[in-house]
Amino acid sequence: MLRYDPAAMSHRLLVFPDDTAKSLIDALDGAKQSINIRMFLFTDPDMLAAVKAARQRGVKVRVMLNPQRRDGSSDNEETRQALLDAGIEVRDSSPAFAVTHQKSMAIDGKTGYVESLNWETRDLTQTRDYAVVTDDPLEVAEMLRCFDADWTQTPFKPDPKSRLIWCPDNGRTRLAHFIDSARTTLWLQNERYQDTVIIERLVRAMARGVKVYIMARPPHNLKKDKLIEGVGGLRIMRDVGAKIHRLKHLKLHGKMLMADEARAVIGSINLAPGSFDERRELAIETDAPEVIARLREVTRHDWEHSEMLDLSDEGVLADLAKRHQDRAGKKQLALKSGKKK
């Protein structure tokens, strides 16, 4: 049950790369009092310049950066140093989480941005990504409350009736219930389909007659230790009737679910156990008419500019060969030789 009156709620949708980095830079340029940024990857020079300019005109800026990826590599060090040199407060995200994958900002305590995209040039220019802009005072206050809690490494408890969805707190439960409530259609765009609870809920949705349209990335994008869950999950859903496609004109990075073309969830959450159980993630549920209308348009456009993802043994092996994983993939997934009979 959603908490707020949709008529009184203010949500807007940004679609990337269509709306370009300017849509975010304009928000930064308009800040008058405060900017609070939480980012997994922050490397784009134009975004960095806009944040530094805000600080130079007297805006209080705090930036929380993920210190390193799961494999130990770090992408944010140059940005971190540039921010510190500009007099901006920067902290590592809370060590309570394996990774802080959340991408968000709050402007002047009045406007929140819940994003699927990192602030890196690729996500701004080459990938299908989304951001929901909220002016709802309760939602923005909750975003800031969580920011302060993770900034000071103190406990945070989400409002159980909020439209905001947090991991590892309530993400799996909220998304499972969202899928359970679908009656006619489910449209999904996500990089990973690995969580057994979510796959189970999608299978049940199809069993009760819901049409499921899945946009996914090809298997060669999966890490070696995630092949079994990633390919297996997609095959299970294909076998019970889901239509599974891959984008042709863009890379897929956005994380979006839309139910019955009436409600949607957008944010940073991959449909994988690590996202639900170990990472700080943020998404938002919305039924704002303007957001849903644009999502309908974008999902139709992307579906028309996509192709069926070949999940046959031959198709998977051919795709894995793009990353020289064909032998490993064959062994892990118990694939056949790949030669057509």
Side-chain angles (χ1 to χ4, degrees):
M1 180 69 68
L2 298 181
R3 177 177 183 178
Y4 308 124
D5 177 8
M9 179 191 63
S10 179
H11 285 173
R12 292 180 286 118
L13 180 69
L14 300 178
V15 179
F16 295 88
D18 307 46
D19 292 334
T20 77
K22 187 176 185 299
S23 60
L24 298 173
I25 291 171
D26 285 350
L28 292 166
D29 289 348
K32 294 178 171 52
Q33 299 174 341
S34 65
I35 302 173
N36 290 278
I37 298 164
R38 175 142 37 176
M39 200 56 54
F40 178 61
L41 297 176
F42 185 176
T43 59
D44 182 75
D46 294 333
M47 298 298 294
L48 175 59
V51 173
K52 290 167 64 177
R55 177 67 184 88
Q56 289 169 1
R57 65 176 184 269
V59 177
K60 181 180 180 181
V61 180
R62 295 187 298 173
V63 179
M64 198 181 314
L65 295 174
N66 185 67
Q68 61 186 24
R69 293 175 182 263
R70 202 176 41 155
D71 62 7
S73 62
S74 178
D75 302 270
N76 293 324
E77 287 310 309
E78 288 187 17
T79 296
R80 179 194 306 277
Q81 192 57 54
L83 292 169
L84 290 171
D85 291 345
I88 293 171
E89 293 185 80
V90 185
R91 290 189 185 178
D92 285 346
S93 52
S94 172
F97 315 110
V99 167
T100 288
H101 193 240
Q102 178 180 341
K103 306 103 157 79
S104 63
M105 71 171 168
I107 302 288
D108 293 338
K110 297 179 180 179
T111 307
Y113 289 69
V114 179
E115 305 174 23
S116 68
L117 68 151
N118 293 294
W119 285 6
E120 59 173 350
T121 305
R122 186 197 70 159
D123 286 11
L124 292 161
T125 60
Q126 299 177 24
T127 66
R128 172 61 75 224
D129 263 301
Y130 303 97
V132 171
V133 186
T134 175
D135 296 320
D136 186 285
L138 295 177
E139 292 170 354
V140 179
E142 184 172 359
M143 289 177 68
L144 290 171
R145 184 163 60 84
C146 184
F147 187 99
D148 288 339
D150 290 352
W151 184 265
T152 58
Q153 299 180 27
T154 54
F156 165 74
K157 185 176 181 180
D159 184 332
K161 297 180 181 179
S162 172
R163 290 178 180 263
L164 297 176
I165 301 171
W166 300 93
C167 295
D169 305 276
N170 60 14
R172 181 183 283 110
T173 299
R174 289 284 301 277
L175 265 63
H177 289 170
F178 181 88
I179 294 168
D180 289 347
S181 68
R183 294 293 173 260
T184 58
T185 59
L186 279 164
W187 293 81
L188 296 90
Q189 293 184 349
N190 206 285
E191 290 183 280
R192 303 179 190 174
Y193 298 84
Q194 298 165 358
D195 189 77
T196 53
V197 172
I198 298 302
I199 292 170
E200 171 199 356
R201 291 314 213 280
L202 289 169
V203 169
R204 289 183 180 182
M206 285 178 271
R208 64 177 183 268
V210 176
K211 294 182 179 179
V212 177
Y213 303 87
I214 290 174
M215 197 73 74
R217 297 185 73 182
H220 75 266
N221 291 284
L222 296 170
K223 294 184 183 299
K224 182 179 177 181
D225 62 344
K226 300 300 181 183
L227 277 174
I228 293 174
E229 296 122 318
V231 175
L234 290 173
R235 283 177 152 186
I236 288 169
M237 293 186 291
R238 176 206 60 183
D239 290 348
V240 295
K243 298 182 183 299
I244 301 177
H245 280 209
R246 62 183 294 273
L247 278 172
K248 293 193 295 185
H249 67 307
L250 289 171
K251 296 178 181 178
L252 177 63
H253 184 259
K255 298 93 173 67
M256 183 279 298
L257 300 87
M258 181 168 59
D260 304 329
E261 300 191 7
R263 298 168 292 109
V265 172
I266 288 173
S268 67
I269 304 172
N270 284 307
L271 303 179
S275 289
F276 290 123
D277 299 328
E278 300 174 359
R279 297 184 172 198
R280 170 60 83 205
E281 307 270 14
L282 173 62
I284 188 168
E285 185 172 354
T286 181
D287 54 5
E290 296 83 359
V291 172
I292 298 304
R294 191 167 185 202
L295 273 181
R296 289 194 203 107
E297 178 183 344
V298 172
T299 53
R300 292 297 192 282
H301 174 273
D302 286 352
W303 199 257
E304 291 171 1
H305 292 80
S306 69
E307 62 186 4
M308 185 182 71
L309 185 58
D310 187 353
L311 293 169
S312 68
D313 284 4
E314 293 82 7
V316 171
L317 281 169
D319 182 75
L320 292 177
K322 296 176 183 178
R323 210 175 69 177
H324 309 292
Q325 280 201 94
D326 50 329
R327 291 184 181 178
K330 178 180 175 182
K331 181 178 179 181
Q332 285 178 280
L333 295 164
L335 300 176
K336 298 176 183 177
S337 66
K339 295 180 180 179
K340 293 183 178 181
K341 297 181 180 180

